[in-house]
Amino acid sequence: MKSKKLTVRTFLSKYMIYFAFIALLIIFCVTLRNVGKGFLDMGNLWNIIRQTSLIAILAVGMTYALGAGQIDLSVGSIVGLTSLVTAWVVQGVGLVAGVLAGLCVGLAIGALNGVLIAWVKIPPFIATLGTQILFAGVSRTVSGLKSVPITNATFNYIFGGGDVGVIPVLFLWMIAVVVIGQIYMRKRPFGRQVIAVGGNSKASLYSGINVKSTVFRVMLISGGLAALAGILWAGRFGGGRYSLGEAEETSAIAAAVLGGTSINGGKASVAGACIGAVMLGMINNALVMYGLDVYQQMVVRGLIILLAVTFTVNAEKE
């Protein structure tokens, strides 16, 4: 009897995000069918994808960090600084140089976070909070609180602003990141190392896993994907700005946890994080369609996230 109970809980813990996603989709489709063109209007659905693709990319990086028992609060600042650096270099040098410069910013900050956590042994919350504040200040200082426009039409099309037929380019970027992230998490040795380190770092060390290297690499991945998101943000809006990505680390964490990643490490789902990000976008979109004001939307979003996470956590308990 106990074994059956645990099996049910494991099943709920693993698949609850998908049940919740389908349930919310049905509720929104039924209750909003007469609002405008309806929730299921393809224009509305693609708009949701555009709004959530970048959060999903951040959530993939956050999933790796959380899976290894870490956290990265600096991703929002990385997005802003990356968008600025990319915009400056694209305008001054060219598309390829701009993209490479933007990626280098994220990888450098990710590497700094990894060193501070793995070797200096600063707790990840404190280390990444510090770099978040540091680089948010850098972005504001070097930009003078001004936007940096990007007039390169090719860059703007490829990196966020274009459509392939009716499909937004951002959707294709999101799918690519999620598929690669899922493969590496589930099929490659590194993914198993991430889960092992998050579950029990001492046991992982004794079993021969290089814990410091694993922690460093997950922070590098988080920083690199935040940089990619920053480049895509710049392409979507046609320029860089210090405020792009601001506070989106909370959305990335929420999406990852809603998707079944444990906040304590040892359990991670890249596909679930993507679904969690899209689900948050659906909720945001539906609340606007319901006519709620900004503060009412905050209340409802908070309640939904709390209920979903509470249910997921309870489902994990033995």
Side-chain angles (χ1 to χ4, degrees):
M1 192 69 175
K2 183 178 180 182
S3 175
K4 182 178 180 181
K5 186 178 181 181
L6 290 177
T7 301
V8 170
R9 283 179 171 172
T10 301
F11 179 82
L12 288 174
S13 174
K14 187 173 182 179
Y15 297 107
M16 180 50 59
I17 181 64
Y18 303 102
F19 294 139
F21 179 85
I22 294 171
L24 282 176
L25 183 61
I26 293 172
I27 291 170
F28 294 153
C29 290
V30 172
T31 59
L32 294 169
R33 65 184 182 279
N34 295 322
V35 178
K37 295 182 179 179
F39 185 81
L40 269 184
D41 175 66
M42 285 307 301
N44 186 55
L45 295 180
W46 284 129
N47 185 47
I48 292 172
I49 292 298
R50 288 187 182 91
Q51 293 172 353
T52 58
S53 293
L54 300 174
I55 301 301
I57 291 172
L58 289 179
V60 171
M62 193 65 71
T63 297
Y64 273 85
L66 291 173
Q70 312 303 311
I71 195 167
D72 190 353
L73 300 180
S74 67
V75 293
S77 295
I78 293 174
V79 167
L81 185 57
T82 296
S83 73
L84 288 169
V85 171
T86 300
W88 280 320
V89 180
V90 167
Q91 290 297 89
V93 182
L95 187 154
V96 174
V99 172
L100 291 176
L103 289 175
C104 286
V105 169
L107 291 172
I109 298 175
L112 174 61
N113 286 333
V115 169
L116 292 175
I117 296 167
W119 282 280
V120 184
K121 297 190 180 301
I122 299 175
F125 184 91
I126 301 300
T128 58
L129 178 62
T131 52
Q132 175 202 51
I133 296 170
L134 169 63
F135 291 106
V138 170
S139 296
R140 284 158 174 75
T141 301
V142 298
S143 69
L145 304 182
K146 296 179 181 179
S147 299
V148 181
I150 298 177
T151 57
N152 187 310
T154 303
F155 173 87
N156 290 334
Y157 178 85
I158 295 174
F159 294 96
D163 296 313
V164 179
V166 297
I167 301 174
V169 168
L170 284 174
F171 176 72
L172 301 179
W173 279 104
M174 179 187 75
I175 292 299
V177 170
V178 170
V179 169
I180 294 171
Q182 180 74 1
I183 290 172
Y184 267 80
M185 182 63 78
R186 296 300 179 195
K187 303 297 183 181
R188 305 297 297 173
F190 176 66
R192 293 190 288 272
Q193 292 169 8
V194 169
I195 300 302
V197 169
N200 191 322
S201 60
K202 289 186 178 180
S204 300
L205 184 63
Y206 294 145
S207 67
I209 295 174
N210 189 329
V211 174
K212 291 182 178 179
S213 175
T214 302
V215 170
F216 178 83
R217 289 165 71 185
V218 297
M219 300 312 293
L220 199 64
I221 290 170
S222 183
L225 288 178
L228 175 60
I231 293 169
L232 294 172
W233 241 298
R236 182 187 178 196
F237 293 111
R241 185 169 176 78
Y242 69 90
S243 59
L244 292 180
E246 195 170 60
E248 294 297 0
E249 60 274 358
T250 57
S251 298
I253 293 169
V257 174
L258 282 172
T261 298
S262 173
I263 198 75
N264 297 314
K267 182 183 176 186
S269 173
V270 170
C274 178
I275 296 297
V278 175
M279 193 165 77
L280 288 175
M282 285 170 45
I283 293 169
N284 292 339
N285 181 269
L287 294 179
V288 172
M289 293 182 72
Y290 283 131
L292 275 65
D293 64 36
V294 174
Y295 304 113
Q296 291 172 330
Q297 292 175 34
M298 291 172 64
V299 171
V300 176
R301 279 199 302 269
L303 287 174
I304 290 174
I305 292 171
L306 284 174
L307 287 172
V309 173
T310 299
F311 198 90
T312 302
V313 169
N314 285 335
E316 292 179 358
K317 294 180 180 178
E318 296 186 4

